[in-house]
Amino acid sequence: MTILAEHRLLAVPDRRVIELYDADAYVDTSAVLDQLDEHVVAGDGYHLYIGSLQSGVGVEVTIRVHSAPPATWPPAAGSTELTLECATGSLIVGEFTAGVAGEVELPRPGVYRVRASWQGRESTAHQASAIRMRAVEEQWSRAATRQALDTIAGSETYCFDMWYLHEPEDDDPE
């Protein structure tokens, strides 16, 4: 098993959600978003959604593309496996309604198996809440509050280990 590509970026959960999707994908998201109450990461085959426990503090998102599924995985607080179709090969990491945090070019378009894992969700949410409470009690400025929140950015992490399964589905039969 070889890592073909690895990308890391910081994304800020908007309404506690971060999403990954193909550059050309558009689907109704409401049913999948409802799943985030029970699952940390949920998907519909075209979108993956991360359900953070906080908004406003950057989380580290790592996307690794493997030549085959790894035999072992690093320790994580939790994980799940899903499938994601990326027909263009351009994977968008979005901050839900706030916009695009980054774009990752996959080695090739196709349908991928994805193992999503995470660390630091609870501790980051608790730290962010404590900072915000202190900011209110001590009447910090917005800039001081933002600076304090930035000190914990990246302590919540999500890793998407992906491996190619097959060519994209042909949704437009002739």
Side-chain angles (χ1 to χ4, degrees):
M1 183 276 317
T2 304
I3 295 178
L4 303 174
E6 183 170 343
H7 306 274
R8 292 178 189 269
L9 57 95
L10 202 62
V12 179
D14 175 38
R15 293 173 176 77
R16 299 181 1 180
V17 176
I18 294 173
E19 59 184 336
L20 281 74
Y21 57 92
D22 181 75
D24 271 354
Y26 176 80
V27 293
D28 180 21
T29 61
S30 58
V32 179
L33 290 174
D34 290 342
Q35 294 176 26
L36 291 178
D37 291 336
E38 295 178 37
H39 307 284
V40 175
V41 177
D44 61 8
Y46 299 97
H47 274 77
L48 298 180
Y49 296 92
I50 300 169
S52 178
L53 297 174
Q54 54 82 27
S55 287
V57 176
V59 302
E60 182 179 284
V61 176
T62 301
I63 299 167
R64 286 192 293 248
V65 182
H66 302 267
S67 59
T72 60
W73 301 104
S79 67
T80 190
E81 284 194 18
L82 305 119
T83 301
L84 178 67
E85 181 172 333
C86 193
T88 66
S90 292
L91 184 64
I92 305 295
V93 178
E95 296 171 333
F96 200 46
T97 64
V100 174
E103 185 170 347
V104 172
E105 291 299 321
L106 300 176
R108 66 183 186 180
V111 177
Y112 287 81
R113 189 68 181 163
V114 180
R115 179 184 185 269
S117 59
W118 51 88
Q119 295 271 21
R121 293 177 74 239
E122 292 85 7
S123 62
T124 302
H126 290 303
Q127 289 175 340
S129 178
I131 289 169
R132 287 185 176 108
M133 287 178 64
R134 186 170 172 211
V136 169
E137 290 169 0
E138 298 177 12
Q139 298 180 346
W140 293 357
S141 68
R142 280 185 185 232
T145 304
R146 171 63 16 215
Q147 185 176 10
L149 289 170
D150 286 347
T151 65
I152 61 171
S155 58
E156 180 177 350
T157 63
Y158 297 89
C159 185
F160 295 87
D161 287 289
M162 307 172 63
W163 55 97
Y164 181 84
L165 293 176
H166 56 80
E167 292 291 321
E169 302 293 329
D170 184 10
D171 293 337
D172 190 23
E174 295 182 33

